[in-house]
Structures are given as C-alpha cells and as structure tokens.
Amino acid sequence: MPVKFYLSPQANKAGEFPIRVSIMVNGTRYLTTAEYKVAGDAWVDNLPADDKRRKKEKGEVLSLYTNSKGVSGKMINNRLNKIRAHFSDYELNTKVKPSEGELKVEFQKAIGLPDEVVSATPVVKKVGLFVRLQEFIAEESKVNQWAYATIQCWTTFTHHLTNFNSKATFDFFNETGINKFVVYLRSKCGLEEKTVQKQFNNLRWFLYWAIRKGYCHELTIKTYRPKFKVLEKPVIFLTKEELLHLYNFQIPKNGTKVKLLDMNGKEYEKTVEDAGGLEKTRDCFCFCAFTSLRYSDLANLKRTDIEGDTMYITTVKTYDRLPINLNSFARAILDKYKDQEYPGGRALPVLANQLMNKYLKNLCELAGFNKPITRTCYRAGNRVEETFPKYEMIGTHTGRRTFICFALSSGIPPQVVMKWTGHSDYQAMKPYIAIAEKTKADAMKLFDAELKK
C-alpha cells in the first residue's frame, strides 16, 4: 500500500490531531496532511485491540464521530479512501520514479481540487543530494568555524560519496543504502575500520542536518547503527632518553651519506637533505614536547604571548585561554631564535604541518628511532597486524603526547597536567595515565632487579 495515515503528535486547542499522510511511490516519499483534524480516541489505530469499534482498515476514523468543525467521521474516511484508491492505481501505472512535485499534484487530484488549481501548482524541481551537501559544508563551516583540516576531511567524504554513487538521493539512505556505503568504504576503498566509522559519522551528521532542514524524509539514519570493529591505536611518544637525544642531535650537513640500521638490523644508507629545515623542525617539535602545545597553537604562538617564564595561549581547537610555564629547555629554544623575525610576529620558525611531518620522520630516522612498533586494525572485516619502524609513526602531535606521558610518569598529578594541556575531560587522559602506570611498574622492576644483585 503506497499510502499510510497517522496522527500528528501535536494537538490543536480543541484537543484534535491533524491527520498526516505519507505517500511512497517507487522510492519517492511525499508527506502532507489530509486537511482534517480528529480526537485521539476517535482514531481507530488508537483503540484497544479487543474494542468492537475497531475496523480492519488501519488509518480510519470512527464513523459516528464528528470533529469540532462539524465534519463527520464518514466524510473524513471517504476522503482517506479516495486518496488510497488514487495512489494504488497511480503506483500500478507508474514505471519510473516520480518527483515530490509530481506526487503533490497527484495528491491534489485525489482530494478533488479543481483542474485549474492543480494545473496552476508549480512542480518544484528537486534539488539533488550533492547540491545539498555543498550547502551543508558552506553553512556548517561558517557556523562552527571549521579549520582548513576539517574542510579537507569533508572534501574527502564528498569524494568517497561521489565515487560510491554519483546519483544517490536522500531516499537511497535507508538501511540497505547505508550498509552498501559502509561495505564500499571497507572493500572498494580498503579503509581501516576507524576511518570507515568516521566517514559514517560524517554521513550521519549531514543527513541529520538535511532532516532538520526538511530536505530528507528518510529517517533510518536516526536509529540504525552499523557495528564497527575499532581497536585503539598505540599512543606513540618519545621516551625521556629519545627526547633528550633528539634535542641534542647534531644534524649532518646537506649531502652527507649516513649509514643506518633498519628495524630488522640491516644496514642502509641515507643522504641528508635540507639540514636547515630539519633543524627548525627539531627545535619546534622539541618545544611542543617541552610545553604540551599542539601544532596549531605552535603555529600561532607570538612573542607577545610570552611574559617572563610564562606563555599565554588561546587554543585554536578548544578556545581555552591557558597559562603554560616555560621550563629551561623551552626557554632555550625561544632564546635561540629571539633575534630572528618571522611573519605575524611568530616566536618560532614553524613550517607547514605536512612539510614538518615529512621532515620529522626523516629527522627521527637519522636519530635512529627504528624500534619496531606493531599496530592492529580491521580492514574489510579482517584483522590486520602491521609493523613499522617508530620514526614512520612520529608526527607533530607526538610532541604533545610526549609531554603528557613524561609529566604523568614523573608523578605530576593528572589535574595539574590537564591545566597545562587544556584537557577538560578526564576520559581523554586515561590512555596516557595507563602508559604512565606501566612506565612506573617497569621502573620498579628495574629497581627491584638492582637490589637483588
């Protein structure tokens, strides 16, 4: 049956509820009202199952009922039956997918509007899902002040959605459509489960917005949740020895051929390129590790933000105003560049994030951080274990993680560390606390072993 009737949840002053009409033909849905209101206890669907007044046909009114406007139940049922009959015939004779505008015209015919009124009703051209997606990105990026990286994430999402189904409509994303998109991301794109989950969350955000705007009438996304096998990634940070080694590391001159060992102990040769860029990267990364700064806050740090041995920053991510005490290592890095001038009054020679990540991996490779690290994830439902040398897993955010892990393992209370880092949620600190506890336990084992010698 292409037509369903139900009562709106909101009543008028007379305690009567509008009769809503849901019409679905070949995948297109049109929602409207039957233009009548009735009391809840006069609606057959609301009657107890054993009530003799209950009819076989759902979505009807008690025949003897008369609403506040003087319209009888018999007259209301007559209109509902006309709508049912009209769309049953229409569905049988329609082979293509109609637009909402076409269903609206058919509804007006069903309720008996004059032909001149029906013909005067404009058929509204349906705006496509991808046009709405661009509207969503433009609107939400302004309202929520998206960073460039967030916009790039949505560009990636748009790319995935277009490659999946460039003709997708809002009605496509019922349970079957959602599952097809998730399967596409897993099998065709080969994304790991955590990334698939992020793309699904983006789809949900977009569809919620479209539902709120009235563009989307398919509501499956509100209740349906596919399962994702997400494993936590290992927290990558530098040990105290690694951090100090990197801080004091003498970077070879350009063109120098350095002999290194890979994670399996095999020797290979690497040529040093852009030693100046590597030095700047080293200093900026170590500054983050000594102060807990994110890359975005490092890039925005100005000399005017520093007063004595304290710097005051307003974080880009959370907008928190944080005072952070400078230790002697951080102070030394600032002093190294105090006579240099950088755009916008920046305190340090910060490179672009992507370039800095590239240089950081090269730098840590030269420093010998080649310990094998295994991470486990799921791809296309299969458990996958991948092993990389540590330097390949180090990025700009590793500096912040290093600060947190070192501070906690040194015995500084989490509440104090959170004031430096700007974490407002204790839950976010739990992975670091677990690492700190393990570090303390390992240290105690070493201490115990020394005593037993």
PDB file of all heavy atoms in Angstrom, residues 130-146 151 154 158 206 209:
ATOM      1  N   PHE A 130      23.841  16.078  -3.682  1.00  0.00           N
ATOM      2  CA  PHE A 130      25.195  16.629  -3.696  1.00  0.00           C
ATOM      3  C   PHE A 130      25.195  18.156  -3.668  1.00  0.00           C
ATOM      4  O   PHE A 130      26.132  18.767  -3.149  1.00  0.00           O
ATOM      5  CB  PHE A 130      25.966  16.099  -4.907  1.00  0.00           C
ATOM      6  CG  PHE A 130      26.301  14.642  -4.777  1.00  0.00           C
ATOM      7  CD1 PHE A 130      25.480  13.673  -5.330  1.00  0.00           C
ATOM      8  CD2 PHE A 130      27.408  14.239  -4.060  1.00  0.00           C
ATOM      9  CE1 PHE A 130      25.773  12.332  -5.188  1.00  0.00           C
ATOM     10  CE2 PHE A 130      27.720  12.898  -3.906  1.00  0.00           C
ATOM     11  CZ  PHE A 130      26.895  11.933  -4.472  1.00  0.00           C
ATOM     12  N   VAL A 131      24.122  18.774  -4.202  1.00  0.00           N
ATOM     13  CA  VAL A 131      23.980  20.229  -4.073  1.00  0.00           C
ATOM     14  C   VAL A 131      23.757  20.577  -2.609  1.00  0.00           C
ATOM     15  O   VAL A 131      24.328  21.541  -2.075  1.00  0.00           O
ATOM     16  CB  VAL A 131      22.812  20.741  -4.940  1.00  0.00           C
ATOM     17  CG1 VAL A 131      22.585  22.240  -4.697  1.00  0.00           C
ATOM     18  CG2 VAL A 131      23.092  20.488  -6.417  1.00  0.00           C
ATOM     19  N   ARG A 132      22.914  19.776  -1.936  1.00  0.00           N
ATOM     20  CA  ARG A 132      22.654  19.989  -0.502  1.00  0.00           C
ATOM     21  C   ARG A 132      23.920  19.752   0.322  1.00  0.00           C
ATOM     22  O   ARG A 132      24.135  20.429   1.338  1.00  0.00           O
ATOM     23  CB  ARG A 132      21.535  19.058  -0.021  1.00  0.00           C
ATOM     24  CG  ARG A 132      20.179  19.322  -0.651  1.00  0.00           C
ATOM     25  CD  ARG A 132      19.702  20.735  -0.422  1.00  0.00           C
ATOM     26  NE  ARG A 132      18.322  20.916  -0.866  1.00  0.00           N
ATOM     27  CZ  ARG A 132      17.741  22.087  -1.023  1.00  0.00           C
ATOM     28  NH1 ARG A 132      18.442  23.202  -0.784  1.00  0.00           N
ATOM     29  NH2 ARG A 132      16.488  22.179  -1.422  1.00  0.00           N
ATOM     30  N   LEU A 133      24.756  18.797  -0.102  1.00  0.00           N
ATOM     31  CA  LEU A 133      26.000  18.528   0.624  1.00  0.00           C
ATOM     32  C   LEU A 133      26.915  19.742   0.581  1.00  0.00           C
ATOM     33  O   LEU A 133      27.521  20.110   1.606  1.00  0.00           O
ATOM     34  CB  LEU A 133      26.693  17.306   0.023  1.00  0.00           C
ATOM     35  CG  LEU A 133      28.040  16.907   0.636  1.00  0.00           C
ATOM     36  CD1 LEU A 133      27.908  16.671   2.137  1.00  0.00           C
ATOM     37  CD2 LEU A 133      28.596  15.657  -0.052  1.00  0.00           C
ATOM     38  N   GLN A 134      27.013  20.388  -0.572  1.00  0.00           N
ATOM     39  CA  GLN A 134      27.825  21.600  -0.661  1.00  0.00           C
ATOM     40  C   GLN A 134      27.232  22.735   0.170  1.00  0.00           C
ATOM     41  O   GLN A 134      27.958  23.523   0.782  1.00  0.00           O
ATOM     42  CB  GLN A 134      27.966  22.025  -2.128  1.00  0.00           C
ATOM     43  CG  GLN A 134      28.750  21.044  -2.986  1.00  0.00           C
ATOM     44  CD  GLN A 134      30.099  20.677  -2.392  1.00  0.00           C
ATOM     45  OE1 GLN A 134      30.886  21.565  -2.016  1.00  0.00           O
ATOM     46  NE2 GLN A 134      30.381  19.393  -2.270  1.00  0.00           N
ATOM     47  N   GLU A 135      25.907  22.792   0.201  1.00  0.00           N
ATOM     48  CA  GLU A 135      25.225  23.782   1.044  1.00  0.00           C
ATOM     49  C   GLU A 135      25.534  23.520   2.516  1.00  0.00           C
ATOM     50  O   GLU A 135      25.788  24.449   3.296  1.00  0.00           O
ATOM     51  CB  GLU A 135      23.710  23.708   0.799  1.00  0.00           C
ATOM     52  CG  GLU A 135      22.897  24.695   1.620  1.00  0.00           C
ATOM     53  CD  GLU A 135      21.400  24.505   1.435  1.00  0.00           C
ATOM     54  OE1 GLU A 135      20.981  23.984   0.376  1.00  0.00           O
ATOM     55  OE2 GLU A 135      20.631  24.868   2.362  1.00  0.00           O
ATOM     56  N   PHE A 136      25.511  22.242   2.893  1.00  0.00           N
ATOM     57  CA  PHE A 136      25.822  21.843   4.274  1.00  0.00           C
ATOM     58  C   PHE A 136      27.244  22.265   4.655  1.00  0.00           C
ATOM     59  O   PHE A 136      27.472  22.862   5.715  1.00  0.00           O
ATOM     60  CB  PHE A 136      25.664  20.328   4.409  1.00  0.00           C
ATOM     61  CG  PHE A 136      26.335  19.730   5.621  1.00  0.00           C
ATOM     62  CD1 PHE A 136      25.707  19.755   6.845  1.00  0.00           C
ATOM     63  CD2 PHE A 136      27.598  19.154   5.519  1.00  0.00           C
ATOM     64  CE1 PHE A 136      26.325  19.199   7.964  1.00  0.00           C
ATOM     65  CE2 PHE A 136      28.223  18.607   6.624  1.00  0.00           C
ATOM     66  CZ  PHE A 136      27.588  18.631   7.848  1.00  0.00           C
ATOM     67  N   ILE A 137      28.210  21.959   3.788  1.00  0.00           N
ATOM     68  CA  ILE A 137      29.610  22.281   4.078  1.00  0.00           C
ATOM     69  C   ILE A 137      29.804  23.792   4.202  1.00  0.00           C
ATOM     70  O   ILE A 137      30.472  24.275   5.126  1.00  0.00           O
ATOM     71  CB  ILE A 137      30.529  21.691   2.992  1.00  0.00           C
ATOM     72  CG1 ILE A 137      30.498  20.156   3.046  1.00  0.00           C
ATOM     73  CG2 ILE A 137      31.958  22.209   3.148  1.00  0.00           C
ATOM     74  CD1 ILE A 137      31.217  19.485   1.890  1.00  0.00           C
ATOM     75  N   ALA A 138      29.191  24.543   3.293  1.00  0.00           N
ATOM     76  CA  ALA A 138      29.322  26.001   3.332  1.00  0.00           C
ATOM     77  C   ALA A 138      28.715  26.577   4.617  1.00  0.00           C
ATOM     78  O   ALA A 138      29.306  27.465   5.247  1.00  0.00           O
ATOM     79  CB  ALA A 138      28.642  26.616   2.106  1.00  0.00           C
ATOM     80  N   GLU A 139      27.545  26.062   4.997  1.00  0.00           N
ATOM     81  CA  GLU A 139      26.856  26.588   6.178  1.00  0.00           C
ATOM     82  C   GLU A 139      27.550  26.181   7.474  1.00  0.00           C
ATOM     83  O   GLU A 139      27.831  27.032   8.336  1.00  0.00           O
ATOM     84  CB  GLU A 139      25.413  26.074   6.190  1.00  0.00           C
ATOM     85  CG  GLU A 139      24.586  26.582   7.367  1.00  0.00           C
ATOM     86  CD  GLU A 139      23.148  26.075   7.319  1.00  0.00           C
ATOM     87  OE1 GLU A 139      22.466  26.338   6.307  1.00  0.00           O
ATOM     88  OE2 GLU A 139      22.718  25.407   8.277  1.00  0.00           O
ATOM     89  N   GLU A 140      27.834  24.887   7.625  1.00  0.00           N
ATOM     90  CA  GLU A 140      28.422  24.404   8.874  1.00  0.00           C
ATOM     91  C   GLU A 140      29.844  24.905   9.072  1.00  0.00           C
ATOM     92  O   GLU A 140      30.265  25.128  10.211  1.00  0.00           O
ATOM     93  CB  GLU A 140      28.405  22.873   8.886  1.00  0.00           C
ATOM     94  CG  GLU A 140      27.016  22.252   8.983  1.00  0.00           C
ATOM     95  CD  GLU A 140      26.344  22.555  10.310  1.00  0.00           C
ATOM     96  OE1 GLU A 140      26.911  22.205  11.359  1.00  0.00           O
ATOM     97  OE2 GLU A 140      25.248  23.154  10.293  1.00  0.00           O
ATOM     98  N   SER A 141      30.599  25.077   7.985  1.00  0.00           N
ATOM     99  CA  SER A 141      31.973  25.563   8.127  1.00  0.00           C
ATOM    100  C   SER A 141      32.000  26.987   8.672  1.00  0.00           C
ATOM    101  O   SER A 141      32.916  27.358   9.409  1.00  0.00           O
ATOM    102  CB  SER A 141      32.706  25.500   6.786  1.00  0.00           C
ATOM    103  OG  SER A 141      32.073  26.329   5.822  1.00  0.00           O
ATOM    104  N   LYS A 142      30.979  27.786   8.325  1.00  0.00           N
ATOM    105  CA  LYS A 142      30.904  29.154   8.843  1.00  0.00           C
ATOM    106  C   LYS A 142      30.405  29.171  10.289  1.00  0.00           C
ATOM    107  O   LYS A 142      30.974  29.845  11.145  1.00  0.00           O
ATOM    108  CB  LYS A 142      29.978  29.993   7.962  1.00  0.00           C
ATOM    109  CG  LYS A 142      30.546  30.313   6.590  1.00  0.00           C
ATOM    110  CD  LYS A 142      29.579  31.155   5.773  1.00  0.00           C
ATOM    111  CE  LYS A 142      30.151  31.464   4.399  1.00  0.00           C
ATOM    112  NZ  LYS A 142      29.195  32.248   3.573  1.00  0.00           N
ATOM    113  N   VAL A 143      29.341  28.414  10.540  1.00  0.00           N
ATOM    114  CA  VAL A 143      28.745  28.400  11.877  1.00  0.00           C
ATOM    115  C   VAL A 143      29.726  27.856  12.915  1.00  0.00           C
ATOM    116  O   VAL A 143      29.855  28.391  14.016  1.00  0.00           O
ATOM    117  CB  VAL A 143      27.445  27.564  11.880  1.00  0.00           C
ATOM    118  CG1 VAL A 143      26.923  27.373  13.305  1.00  0.00           C
ATOM    119  CG2 VAL A 143      26.380  28.240  11.017  1.00  0.00           C
ATOM    120  N   ASN A 144      30.419  26.763  12.563  1.00  0.00           N
ATOM    121  CA  ASN A 144      31.316  26.099  13.511  1.00  0.00           C
ATOM    122  C   ASN A 144      32.781  26.485  13.345  1.00  0.00           C
ATOM    123  O   ASN A 144      33.642  25.922  14.010  1.00  0.00           O
ATOM    124  CB  ASN A 144      31.177  24.583  13.373  1.00  0.00           C
ATOM    125  CG  ASN A 144      29.791  24.104  13.746  1.00  0.00           C
ATOM    126  OD1 ASN A 144      29.328  24.307  14.856  1.00  0.00           O
ATOM    127  ND2 ASN A 144      29.100  23.465  12.801  1.00  0.00           N
ATOM    128  N   GLN A 145      33.047  27.436  12.429  1.00  0.00           N
ATOM    129  CA  GLN A 145      34.400  27.949  12.217  1.00  0.00           C
ATOM    130  C   GLN A 145      35.394  26.809  11.992  1.00  0.00           C
ATOM    131  O   GLN A 145      36.395  26.658  12.691  1.00  0.00           O
ATOM    132  CB  GLN A 145      34.839  28.810  13.419  1.00  0.00           C
ATOM    133  CG  GLN A 145      33.959  30.017  13.628  1.00  0.00           C
ATOM    134  CD  GLN A 145      34.406  30.888  14.786  1.00  0.00           C
ATOM    135  OE1 GLN A 145      35.476  30.694  15.350  1.00  0.00           O
ATOM    136  NE2 GLN A 145      33.597  31.853  15.153  1.00  0.00           N
ATOM    137  N   TRP A 146      35.091  26.003  10.976  1.00  0.00           N
ATOM    138  CA  TRP A 146      35.940  24.858  10.677  1.00  0.00           C
ATOM    139  C   TRP A 146      37.357  25.293  10.327  1.00  0.00           C
ATOM    140  O   TRP A 146      37.569  26.291   9.628  1.00  0.00           O
ATOM    141  CB  TRP A 146      35.383  24.067   9.497  1.00  0.00           C
ATOM    142  CG  TRP A 146      34.188  23.237   9.835  1.00  0.00           C
ATOM    143  CD1 TRP A 146      33.622  23.069  11.060  1.00  0.00           C
ATOM    144  CD2 TRP A 146      33.396  22.470   8.919  1.00  0.00           C
ATOM    145  NE1 TRP A 146      32.538  22.235  10.976  1.00  0.00           N
ATOM    146  CE2 TRP A 146      32.377  21.851   9.681  1.00  0.00           C
ATOM    147  CE3 TRP A 146      33.456  22.240   7.556  1.00  0.00           C
ATOM    148  CZ2 TRP A 146      31.426  21.024   9.096  1.00  0.00           C
ATOM    149  CZ3 TRP A 146      32.516  21.412   6.967  1.00  0.00           C
ATOM    150  CH2 TRP A 146      31.514  20.808   7.733  1.00  0.00           C
ATOM    151  N   ILE A 151      37.774  21.042   6.704  1.00  0.00           N
ATOM    152  CA  ILE A 151      37.226  21.199   5.347  1.00  0.00           C
ATOM    153  C   ILE A 151      37.819  20.142   4.418  1.00  0.00           C
ATOM    154  O   ILE A 151      37.112  19.571   3.578  1.00  0.00           O
ATOM    155  CB  ILE A 151      37.494  22.617   4.821  1.00  0.00           C
ATOM    156  CG1 ILE A 151      36.727  23.645   5.668  1.00  0.00           C
ATOM    157  CG2 ILE A 151      37.102  22.741   3.351  1.00  0.00           C
ATOM    158  CD1 ILE A 151      37.008  25.085   5.315  1.00  0.00           C
ATOM    159  N   TRP A 154      36.015  16.885   4.824  1.00  0.00           N
ATOM    160  CA  TRP A 154      34.724  16.859   4.133  1.00  0.00           C
ATOM    161  C   TRP A 154      34.901  16.788   2.624  1.00  0.00           C
ATOM    162  O   TRP A 154      34.051  16.240   1.915  1.00  0.00           O
ATOM    163  CB  TRP A 154      33.875  18.065   4.545  1.00  0.00           C
ATOM    164  CG  TRP A 154      33.212  17.799   5.852  1.00  0.00           C
ATOM    165  CD1 TRP A 154      33.638  18.191   7.087  1.00  0.00           C
ATOM    166  CD2 TRP A 154      32.028  17.026   6.064  1.00  0.00           C
ATOM    167  NE1 TRP A 154      32.791  17.724   8.054  1.00  0.00           N
ATOM    168  CE2 TRP A 154      31.786  17.010   7.455  1.00  0.00           C
ATOM    169  CE3 TRP A 154      31.143  16.363   5.223  1.00  0.00           C
ATOM    170  CZ2 TRP A 154      30.697  16.340   8.014  1.00  0.00           C
ATOM    171  CZ3 TRP A 154      30.060  15.701   5.782  1.00  0.00           C
ATOM    172  CH2 TRP A 154      29.859  15.688   7.160  1.00  0.00           C
ATOM    173  N   THR A 158      33.174  13.873   0.445  1.00  0.00           N
ATOM    174  CA  THR A 158      32.448  14.139  -0.805  1.00  0.00           C
ATOM    175  C   THR A 158      32.989  13.268  -1.929  1.00  0.00           C
ATOM    176  O   THR A 158      32.231  12.733  -2.743  1.00  0.00           O
ATOM    177  CB  THR A 158      32.567  15.631  -1.187  1.00  0.00           C
ATOM    178  OG1 THR A 158      32.078  16.444  -0.102  1.00  0.00           O
ATOM    179  CG2 THR A 158      31.759  15.942  -2.434  1.00  0.00           C
ATOM    180  N   PHE A 206      25.560  14.866   8.206  1.00  0.00           N
ATOM    181  CA  PHE A 206      24.966  15.500   7.032  1.00  0.00           C
ATOM    182  C   PHE A 206      23.469  15.188   6.922  1.00  0.00           C
ATOM    183  O   PHE A 206      22.652  16.094   6.691  1.00  0.00           O
ATOM    184  CB  PHE A 206      25.703  15.032   5.774  1.00  0.00           C
ATOM    185  CG  PHE A 206      25.012  15.380   4.482  1.00  0.00           C
ATOM    186  CD1 PHE A 206      24.593  16.682   4.208  1.00  0.00           C
ATOM    187  CD2 PHE A 206      24.764  14.397   3.527  1.00  0.00           C
ATOM    188  CE1 PHE A 206      23.950  17.003   3.013  1.00  0.00           C
ATOM    189  CE2 PHE A 206      24.127  14.703   2.336  1.00  0.00           C
ATOM    190  CZ  PHE A 206      23.718  16.004   2.079  1.00  0.00           C
ATOM    191  N   TRP A 209      21.358  16.981   9.497  1.00  0.00           N
ATOM    192  CA  TRP A 209      21.175  18.375   9.065  1.00  0.00           C
ATOM    193  C   TRP A 209      20.078  18.455   8.008  1.00  0.00           C
ATOM    194  O   TRP A 209      19.211  19.345   8.051  1.00  0.00           O
ATOM    195  CB  TRP A 209      22.501  18.891   8.523  1.00  0.00           C
ATOM    196  CG  TRP A 209      22.459  20.237   7.869  1.00  0.00           C
ATOM    197  CD1 TRP A 209      22.594  21.466   8.468  1.00  0.00           C
ATOM    198  CD2 TRP A 209      22.283  20.516   6.458  1.00  0.00           C
ATOM    199  NE1 TRP A 209      22.513  22.468   7.539  1.00  0.00           N
ATOM    200  CE2 TRP A 209      22.321  21.921   6.297  1.00  0.00           C
ATOM    201  CE3 TRP A 209      22.087  19.722   5.343  1.00  0.00           C
ATOM    202  CZ2 TRP A 209      22.177  22.538   5.058  1.00  0.00           C
ATOM    203  CZ3 TRP A 209      21.949  20.333   4.102  1.00  0.00           C
ATOM    204  CH2 TRP A 209      21.990  21.708   3.967  1.00  0.00           C
TER     205      TRP A 209
END
